[in-house]
């Protein structure tokens, strides 16, 4: 449904509703740090373009994810043969089209057939650049996995940090006290003895100093209530800080920290931030018809229809 020229008012309920027009693309930088500050620390960095697509054939909300840069590991391209092979073969997935639920949470891969059609071309390029029986075995295993849509869905569900962080069910009612509670299972906690992080989600009562909506997540590991796991229960915490566009409610930035001990402690930090268009500020279109800075979130008018990167994170984090 085209709502580009309509004005939407909130009801009296504290809620978030995504107003991302179809066919609009936004670029983001992604930085994932594993075990920050430790001897075994590693950093993965890349850029993506996210496009809201028109609904699918059954009315599903669709988003397209494109990787628009190389993937850098510790500031360099993957150098180990195994890493280069996985990276080259993994290009078959992009552009990736996913379905989300009505709250914005990841559901499934939508363009499975397109991925299958791309495979032969990607496979030929891999064989042009790699050789050996190990390469052929890897491609054979991947080909079998690609043929099974459920296997692909499970792979992204279990392993993709960007999808887990960006496509969360944020768009829902938060009740009278602007809070909600959910259980989230991130890639850091794959054990069968863990249900996930039981998470309190708190929506800010007013926009911040530069007009963005704040959403805070605080979670702790919820172990299964099973006598088999009492002796070795995992522990862990999760903190997420989302900044959302005051008009469209799309993500401007995310900083999320995860730790998990089972029994050794692992840490992951995920940063996702919008990349403004050349010559624009990230918040240049925050203003609505009236000055909304400081107004309660539930009183804002949503009009549905970014740059110097210097000091970008300082501005976002209000430092």
């Amino acid at each position: 449904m085209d709502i580009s020229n309509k004005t939407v008012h909130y009801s009296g309920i504290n809620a978030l509703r995504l107003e991302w027009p179809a066919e609009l693309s936004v670029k983001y930088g992604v930085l994932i740090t594993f075990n920050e500050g430790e001897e075994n620390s590693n950093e993965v960095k890349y850029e993506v373009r996210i496009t809201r697509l028109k609904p699918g054939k059954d009315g599903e909300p669709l988003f397209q994810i494109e990787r628009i840069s190389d993937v850098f590991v510790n500031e360099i391209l993957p150098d180990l043969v195994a890493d280069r092979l996985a990276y080259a073969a993994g290009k078959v997935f992009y552009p990736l089209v996913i379905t989300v639920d009505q709250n914005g949470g990841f559901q499934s891969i939508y363009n499975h057939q397109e991925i299958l059609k791309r495979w032969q071309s990607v496979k030929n390029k891999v064989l042009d650049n790699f050789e050996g029986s190990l390469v052929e075995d890897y491609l054979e295993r991947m080909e079998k996995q690609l043929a099974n849509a459920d296997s692909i869905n499970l792979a992204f569900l279990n392993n993709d940090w960007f999808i887990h962080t960006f496509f969360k069910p944020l768009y829902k009612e938060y009740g009278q006290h602007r809070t909600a509670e959910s259980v989230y299972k991130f890639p850091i906690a794959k054990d069968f003895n863990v249900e996930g992080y039981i998470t309190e989600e708190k929506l800010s009562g007013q926009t911040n100093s530069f007009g963005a909506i704040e959403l805070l997540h605080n979670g702790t590991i919820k172990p299964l209530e099973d006598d088999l796991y009492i002796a070795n229960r995992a522990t862990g915490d999760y903190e997420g800080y989302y900044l959302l566009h005051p008009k469209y409610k799309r993500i401007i930035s995310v900083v999320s920290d995860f730790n998990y001990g089972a029994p050794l402690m692992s840490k992951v930090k995920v940063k996702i931030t919008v990349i403004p268009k050349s010559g624009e500020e990230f918040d240049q279109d925050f203003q609505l018809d009236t000055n909304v800075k400081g107004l309660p979130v539930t009183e804002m008018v949503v009009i549905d229809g970014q740059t110097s990167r210097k000091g970008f994170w300082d501005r976002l984090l209000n430092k």
Side-chain angles (χ1 to χ4, degrees):
M1 180 175 64
D2 183 8
I3 55 175
S4 59
N5 294 314
K6 294 183 179 180
T7 300
V8 180
H9 294 263
Y10 276 110
S11 67
I13 300 173
N14 290 285
L16 288 175
R17 298 286 181 260
L18 181 62
E19 306 292 346
W20 186 323
E23 302 181 350
L24 176 69
S25 298
V26 181
K27 294 180 181 179
Y28 292 91
V30 183
L31 179 65
I32 306 170
T33 307
F34 300 91
N35 298 317
E36 185 176 34
E38 304 292 336
E39 186 175 342
N40 60 339
S41 174
N42 285 289
E43 178 185 277
V44 177
K45 184 186 333 185
Y46 57 92
E47 295 180 0
V48 296
R49 177 167 47 236
I50 309 298
T51 305
R52 175 74 181 269
L53 302 179
K54 293 180 179 179
K57 59 182 181 299
D58 295 322
E60 312 96 316
L62 300 180
F63 285 86
Q64 178 175 272
I65 305 169
E66 300 170 88
R67 283 189 177 171
I68 56 175
S69 74
D70 288 322
V71 176
F72 293 89
V73 179
N74 299 328
E75 300 294 344
I76 62 174
L77 292 173
D79 55 352
L80 297 177
V81 173
D83 291 339
R84 290 193 293 114
L85 175 59
Y87 177 45
K91 291 181 178 181
V92 71
F93 294 111
Y94 299 94
L96 180 70
V97 179
I98 66 170
T99 67
V100 301
D101 61 29
Q102 295 303 315
N103 297 330
F106 169 74
Q107 279 196 317
S108 64
I109 306 302
Y110 186 77
N111 62 333
H112 179 233
Q113 291 303 314
E114 291 179 13
I115 292 170
L116 291 179
K117 291 177 182 177
R118 287 199 290 262
W119 171 242
Q120 193 59 50
S121 174
V122 171
K123 179 180 177 180
N124 290 340
K125 289 181 181 178
V126 171
L127 291 172
D128 285 342
N129 292 284
F130 299 86
E131 59 182 18
S133 59
L134 290 178
V135 174
E136 294 176 359
D137 289 344
Y138 180 90
L139 294 177
E140 183 178 347
R141 291 196 306 272
M142 186 163 183
E143 194 163 300
K144 289 180 179 179
Q145 184 180 42
L146 287 175
N148 189 324
D150 290 337
S151 293
I152 300 176
N153 283 329
L154 194 61
F156 278 94
L157 189 63
N158 286 339
N159 300 298
D160 194 289
W161 276 102
F162 175 78
I163 284 180
H164 267 280
T165 307
F166 193 91
F167 292 102
K168 301 216 71 60
L170 309 178
Y171 304 100
K172 56 192 175 186
E173 296 177 359
Y174 286 85
Q176 181 179 357
H177 301 291
R178 298 188 298 276
T179 60
E181 187 175 276
S182 302
V183 177
Y184 295 130
K185 193 165 185 178
F186 296 96
I188 196 173
K190 299 179 183 179
D191 294 345
F192 291 109
N193 63 334
V194 171
E195 287 191 34
Y197 293 81
I198 185 166
T199 302
E200 181 188 52
E201 305 156 291
K202 187 166 183 60
L203 179 65
S204 59
Q206 60 184 25
T207 55
N208 70 3
S209 60
F210 55 82
I213 298 170
E214 296 180 326
L215 181 62
L216 304 178
H217 285 183
N218 283 283
T220 56
I221 281 291
K222 182 181 182 182
L224 289 176
E225 296 299 328
D226 192 321
D227 292 341
L228 292 174
Y229 301 116
I230 289 178
N232 190 28
R233 283 195 169 180
T235 60
D237 299 294
Y238 155 56
E239 292 184 0
Y241 178 55
Y242 286 78
L243 288 179
L244 307 176
H245 196 290
K247 289 184 186 180
Y248 308 117
K249 309 305 178 293
R250 63 176 177 256
I251 291 172
I252 298 300
S253 74
V254 187
V255 180
S256 291
D257 284 279
F258 311 84
N259 64 69
Y260 180 66
L264 299 177
M265 182 64 69
S266 298
K267 298 184 295 183
V268 177
K269 180 188 287 287
V270 179
K271 288 186 178 182
I272 302 171
T273 179
V274 70
I275 300 175
K277 295 179 181 177
S278 178
E280 294 185 0
E281 295 288 342
F282 74 91
D283 58 351
Q284 78 167 40
D285 63 347
F286 275 22
Q287 289 299 113
L288 307 182
D289 284 347
T290 58
N291 185 349
V292 302
K293 293 182 178 179
L295 286 181
V297 171
T298 51
E299 294 180 10
M300 292 193 301
V301 177
V302 183
I303 301 177
D304 194 51
Q306 301 167 326
T307 316
S308 168
R309 302 190 192 181
K310 184 178 181 181
F312 183 72
W313 277 104
D314 286 345
R315 292 189 64 199
L316 285 180
L317 300 180
N318 198 24
K319 292 182 178 179

